[in-house]
Amino acid sequence: MRKCLIVFVWILCSWVVKAQNNVLEVDWEFVGPKDVAKDNSDSGRITPYGLGRIEAMGFGGRKNKWIYAGSNTGGLFLSKNHGKKWEFVFNVNPVCGVWDIEVDTKNKKHLWVATGNNNWAKSWGLGVLESKNGGKTWQKTGLTFEPYQQVHITSLEQNENELNSFLACSKTDVYVSNDYCVSWRKILDNDDKSRQNLRQVLWNNNQQGYLLAAGATLYFSYDSGNSWHQKRSFLTYNSQLSLNDSLPGRFAVALNPLNNNQLVVCYAHKGVSYIDRSDDFGKTWYNILKGRIFDRLDVHHTEIAWNPADTTELAVGSFRVYTAKNGTDNFRLVSFPYAKNPQFMHDDIREMIFTDDGTLWVGNDGGISKSTDLGENWTNLPTEGMRLTQFYSMVVNKGMLVAGGQDLSTFIFQNSQWRQTTEIYADGSMCLINDSMYVQSQNGAKYYFRNRSDDRIIREIYTPFMPNRFIYPVQFCPTDSSTIWVTDHDLWQLKPNGNWTNLTKTLPKINSKIVALDANDPNRKIVYLAKDEPTWSVAPAGLKHHFYKGTFNDSGFYHWQDITINLPILAWREIGDIYSNPLNNDEVYVCFEIFDDTEKPYRVYKSTDGGQSWWNISNGLPNTLAHKIELYNQQYLLLATDAGMFYMHKTDSVWTRLKGKEEFAQIIDFQIDKSDSYLYVAAYGNGVWRMKLPDVWLKKD
């Protein structure tokens, strides 16, 4: 008996997990990409070179040897050797983006960061966090938010003269602290739904009490934030503004580093680029540039920087970089997305900083680039140690992994190596794989069918619609793996001959898109699908058009039953995923991609009668977004969320988190490779991770 007990204990220990307080400690292994993947495309064309998106940078130490880099969703990275190698220094849960960084000028290990996620899902953050040991540990400050409050801090600024004073802004509000971020006071309060989209707060370090906030509008205060003045209407574009014109999406501001009373603001209106200047901190303005000069100045790509080493030099970032010497009348394009070009840089500029020595640093969708000659030549910093790739989707089959990356096309992981397959870089979007081929989509509008043995293109087909999104349900037809099902407002079937068939043409034509699809029935007799946006109505007459069950009929089409009313919680929530048991399609699970404003979580619901009735099985889950749900081996429910991976035996009542030594960003997708018994997860901002499935999961009850 004692020998049996010892053996049993040894088996439990060999699992390398420990369950305690609804947390199961597991060995997550970072799969990658760990560095820039080998690119199989023609390097003479636009090249998907890079690893991921950098939103913010901060510098510390002698000659800026320490560099902090913030990902827009994947936390913070630190290099201690001028950017040659990097390490992850944001082990918080949940991991979110770092949008601005302030480093103590006297202590490179002391820093503050503005946090937030601004991606395809919901915007949220943790407020302003502080670290006193170079990011090893983090503490909350007085400006702290929970994810469900959906507050994203976009900018953080320390006063150069009064180092205890900080400004911060969310998309609508401005805050001030005068005690090193211990306590904060709101000094600009806008309606949460107002169109402010604030992206910058700046101190005038030459004039006490002068400050500004910029985004989709332009605010100035001359009394420490007690009163504010909108200055957007004083800018040049207003003379061209007609009644029905849309307004600029972003105003980017740069202060003269030697005289903060002087500033420039860059923006675009109706395709025309403008730079306006003020020499009295926004009280009066004059135009110094107007024309069709900068391509795509928009809400995501408008940056401007002023060189402190030579104040006649400016740099502007749109989706590429432009610089000017001796004023602003000679801006020229200085970045190109071709790998063999000496001015190569990944497109989509997110951050621009001139350091005191005149070096121009740029954060973009591929990583970090720098130039010491105003863009004549660029150095693209190494990315070793930066685990920041944003994946939209991932599929795994017999040791081959295919994943769609944000602005980096499609990644392949096979035989312990990463590579990319593309003809031109774009958002990789959704993927499929089977034993003979894999399918990749480009920007959601074009599909490549490739031979999995050599990446050769079998065929390429455009969709009959424009999805205008990067994450949407797509899968193989349950009865024919050469046929795929793709979603937009409708469910479309694509045959190998290129013919498209609308499988939902009998559904009401409303302006909503399919966000979840389940076709696990191996005979394709039953299909479930959900559309986006809540119904916003609790009345029976309003609970419709968002959740459907399709039954295949003898005429070869689906009869669609609206089952929205059976799940009244859809009045305020949107389904993120649907999963039905392939052996019993009456057993159905749904998870929700929305925050709750109550303590009781509404993350996962279950039905055992084909969607006619439901009950909540969310006990143990945090108040966060849930993206994917699946039943493994007829026993274990797996759930991907913004706060990590959770599991629960389907006969249990409480979910448990699969926690590793290191945290990573929100999990968008997961797959199990039965050939090696690994669970793979795709993190939107931290690449791909995996863990070995516990032996107990592999056994049938």
Side-chain angles (χ1 to χ4, degrees):
M1 176 67 181
R2 183 181 178 187
K3 183 177 180 180
C4 293
L5 180 61
I6 292 173
V7 171
F8 176 71
V9 171
W10 178 83
I11 291 174
L12 287 179
C13 293
S14 68
W15 190 1
V16 203
V17 298
K18 180 172 62 180
Q20 185 178 13
N21 298 326
N22 298 332
V23 171
L24 194 64
E25 294 183 8
V26 299
D27 286 337
W28 285 110
E29 173 193 357
F30 179 55
V31 179
K34 299 177 182 178
D35 207 343
V36 177
K38 179 182 178 182
D39 179 22
N40 285 346
S41 69
D42 177 9
S43 60
R45 303 180 67 188
I46 296 177
T47 309
Y49 184 96
L51 204 60
R53 177 173 162 185
I54 294 297
E55 196 72 43
M57 289 176 281
F59 302 88
R62 194 165 173 261
K63 295 184 178 181
N64 294 324
K65 187 175 182 179
W66 278 36
I67 306 173
Y68 293 95
S71 159
N72 78 312
T73 57
L76 187 70
F77 301 86
L78 168 63
S79 173
K80 298 178 181 179
N81 53 10
H82 298 290
K84 296 176 182 177
K85 289 186 179 181
W86 300 85
E87 59 181 304
F88 181 73
V89 289
F90 203 64
N91 205 35
V92 301
N93 182 261
V95 170
C96 64
V98 169
W99 279 62
D100 211 350
I101 305 164
E102 284 291 337
V103 183
D104 191 330
T105 55
K106 298 179 181 179
N107 180 1
K108 62 190 177 184
K109 294 184 179 181
H110 188 196
L111 68 152
W112 300 262
V113 296
T115 67
N117 278 0
N118 188 27
N119 53 35
W120 57 272
K122 304 293 188 296
S123 179
W124 57 270
L126 304 175
V128 174
L129 301 181
E130 179 183 13
S131 176
K132 297 180 180 179
N133 53 14
K136 292 181 180 179
T137 58
W138 293 90
Q139 299 82 41
K140 295 179 180 180
T141 69
L143 191 62
T144 300
F145 300 97
E146 295 297 324
Y148 72 88
Q149 293 175 279
Q150 300 183 65
V151 177
H152 173 185
I153 301 299
T154 57
S155 182
L156 181 66
E157 182 83 1
Q158 187 177 24
N159 192 304
E160 294 179 3
N161 301 317
E162 300 174 4
L163 297 179
N164 61 312
S165 295
F166 287 74
L167 289 172
C169 71
S170 67
K171 291 184 177 182
T172 56
D173 304 327
V174 177
Y175 305 83
V176 65
S177 172
N178 299 117
D179 54 10
Y180 288 101
C181 301
V182 174
S183 61
W184 292 81
R185 179 169 54 91
K186 186 184 291 189
I187 55 175
L188 177 61
D189 189 358
N190 284 298
D191 184 275
D192 290 344
K193 296 182 180 180
S194 62
R195 184 185 177 274
Q196 309 296 322
N197 199 26
L198 299 179
R199 299 291 290 268
Q200 281 181 288
V201 281
L202 295 170
W203 296 98
N204 182 335
N205 291 291
N206 298 119
Q207 192 78 40
Q208 188 173 14
Y210 279 28
L211 43 112
L212 70 83
T217 188
L218 198 56
Y219 286 103
F220 285 80
S221 176
Y222 306 106
D223 56 5
S224 300
N226 291 315
S227 61
W228 292 87
H229 309 271
Q230 282 209 51
K231 297 294 185 177
R232 184 176 61 192
S233 61
F234 291 82
L235 301 179
T236 304
Y237 82 99
N238 275 277
S239 63
Q240 311 294 321
L241 193 64
S242 61
L243 183 62
N244 296 320
D245 280 353
S246 60
L247 298 175
R250 172 85 183 275
F251 296 96
V253 178
L255 305 180
N256 183 335
L258 304 184
N259 178 5
N260 286 181
N261 285 306
Q262 297 177 345
L263 59 92
V264 287
V265 56
C266 180
Y267 59 96
H269 182 244
K270 298 172 69 173
V272 178
S273 308
Y274 296 84
I275 296 181
D276 289 348
R277 175 167 172 159
S278 174
D279 296 325
D280 52 12
F281 203 67
K283 294 178 181 178
T284 60
W285 296 87
Y286 57 97
N287 179 259
I288 57 176
L289 181 141
K290 177 183 176 183
R292 298 186 182 275
I293 300 167
F294 311 127
D295 197 2
R296 269 183 59 192
L297 286 175
D298 58 30
V299 64
H300 300 298
H301 314 99
T302 305
E303 303 289 339
I304 187 166
W306 205 325
N307 188 356
D310 183 348
T311 55
T312 68
E313 296 181 350
L314 291 172
V316 168
S318 59
F319 84 118
R320 292 186 182 154
V321 177
Y322 304 78
T323 62
K325 297 180 179 180
N326 302 318
T328 60
D329 57 350
N330 59 346
F331 270 98
R332 58 203 177 87
L333 177 64
V334 295
S335 71
F336 299 88
Y338 313 107
K340 293 182 179 179
N341 192 306
Q343 291 177 300
F344 169 75
M345 182 195 299
H346 197 290
D347 281 348
D348 295 330
I349 309 308
R350 308 289 179 171
E351 169 78 301
M352 299 185 80
I353 297 175
F354 276 111
T355 45
D356 290 340
D357 61 358
T359 300
L360 176 59
W361 299 80
V362 177
N364 53 58
D365 276 10
I368 298 176
S369 305
K370 71 173 183 176
S371 175
T372 57
D373 53 14
L374 206 62
E376 292 290 340
N377 297 276
W378 292 98
T379 299
N380 295 290
L381 269 61
T383 53
E384 182 181 349
M386 273 190 168
R387 54 188 207 209
L388 54 77
T389 308
Q390 297 171 306
F391 284 114
Y392 292 120
S393 73
M394 174 188 65
V395 291
V396 183
N397 176 273
K398 296 181 179 179
M400 183 176 185
L401 181 151
V402 183
Q406 190 271 332
D407 218 27
L408 292 169
S409 189
T410 302
F411 288 80
I412 311 293
F413 179 69
Q414 191 176 30
N415 300 324
S416 301
Q417 298 215 341
W418 288 88
R419 67 181 188 274
Q420 286 168 307
T421 57
T422 186
E423 302 309 304
I424 186 171
Y425 83 57
D427 288 277
S429 200
M430 310 306 289
C431 306
L432 295 171
I433 191 171
N434 59 27
D435 291 346
S436 61
M437 69 175 180
Y438 65 92
V439 183
Q440 66 176 112
S441 63
Q442 178 178 302
N443 288 341
K446 187 177 183 180
Y447 284 84
Y448 295 94
F449 294 74
R450 293 181 182 267
N451 190 318
R452 65 177 285 168
S453 63
D454 58 8
D455 297 332
R456 177 176 53 85
I457 295 177
I458 303 170
R459 63 185 182 275
E460 51 186 276
I461 299 174
Y462 284 94
T463 62
F465 50 84
M466 286 298 294
N468 293 322
R469 55 181 178 160
F470 302 124
I471 296 180
Y472 52 90
V474 56
Q475 68 175 73
F476 286 114
C477 171
T479 56
D480 179 6
S481 61
S482 65
T483 297
I484 66 172
W485 286 2
V486 183
T487 60
D488 185 51
H489 293 86
D490 293 291
L491 171 59
W492 294 85
Q493 178 173 274
L494 172 61
K495 285 284 193 179
N497 60 8
N499 289 337
W500 291 88
T501 303
N502 186 348
L503 302 180
T504 51
K505 60 183 179 181
T506 59
L507 290 184
K509 301 300 179 184
I510 59 174
N511 189 28
S512 61
K513 296 185 177 183
I514 296 172
V515 290
L517 172 67
D518 172 85
N520 285 330
D521 184 345
N523 299 314
R524 67 172 285 183
K525 292 182 178 179
I526 301 295
V527 176
Y528 296 91
L529 65 84
K531 294 208 165 190
D532 61 357
E533 291 296 321
T535 68
W536 307 117
S537 173
V538 295
L543 282 166
K544 57 185 179 181
H545 303 328
H546 287 274
F547 196 11
Y548 292 94
K549 179 180 181 179
T551 305
F552 201 65
N553 55 38
D554 294 337
S555 61
F557 295 96
Y558 281 95
H559 168 71
W560 294 99
Q561 177 190 0
D562 190 335
I563 58 174
T564 310
I565 197 171
N566 299 337
L567 193 55
I569 199 171
L570 287 174
W572 307 108
R573 290 163 182 83
E574 178 181 306
I575 290 177
D577 193 27
I578 311 167
Y579 185 87
S580 67
N581 188 335
L583 303 184
N584 175 16
N585 51 47
D586 281 339
E587 182 183 339
V588 191
Y589 302 87
V590 297
C591 63
F592 294 99
E593 246 176 20
I594 198 166
F595 291 105
D596 290 312
D597 55 6
T598 63
E599 293 184 4
K600 184 177 181 180
Y602 298 94
R603 300 273 75 79
V604 181
Y605 272 67
K606 177 180 180 179
S607 174
T608 56
D609 55 11
Q612 299 308 302
S613 60
W614 299 84
W615 70 91
N616 189 351
I617 57 167
S618 306
N619 194 18
L621 294 175
N623 188 355
T624 190
L625 307 178
H627 304 294
K628 182 176 180 178
I629 188 166
E630 190 171 305
L631 178 64
Y632 173 68
N633 204 16
Q634 293 294 308
Q635 301 175 77
Y636 291 94
L637 287 167
L638 299 174
L639 183 70
T641 79
D642 276 9
M645 198 76 193
F646 290 79
Y647 87 97
M648 179 176 71
H649 194 284
K650 72 175 188 177
T651 61
D652 290 341
S653 59
V654 180
W655 291 84
T656 298
R657 186 162 81 95
L658 298 170
K659 183 183 183 304
K661 293 180 181 179
E662 294 182 284
E663 301 289 357
F664 41 85
Q666 57 263 46
I667 299 173
I668 296 303
D669 204 351
F670 65 86
Q671 297 282 328
I672 292 175
D673 190 349
K674 296 180 181 178
S675 68
D676 58 11
S677 299
Y678 271 104
L679 167 64
Y680 289 82
V681 301
Y684 190 73
N686 290 137
V688 173
W689 298 70
R690 71 180 181 182
M691 58 166 275
K692 198 73 173 178
L693 292 178
D695 291 341
V696 68
W697 286 18
L698 304 176
K699 299 175 182 178
K700 295 285 186 180
D701 281 351

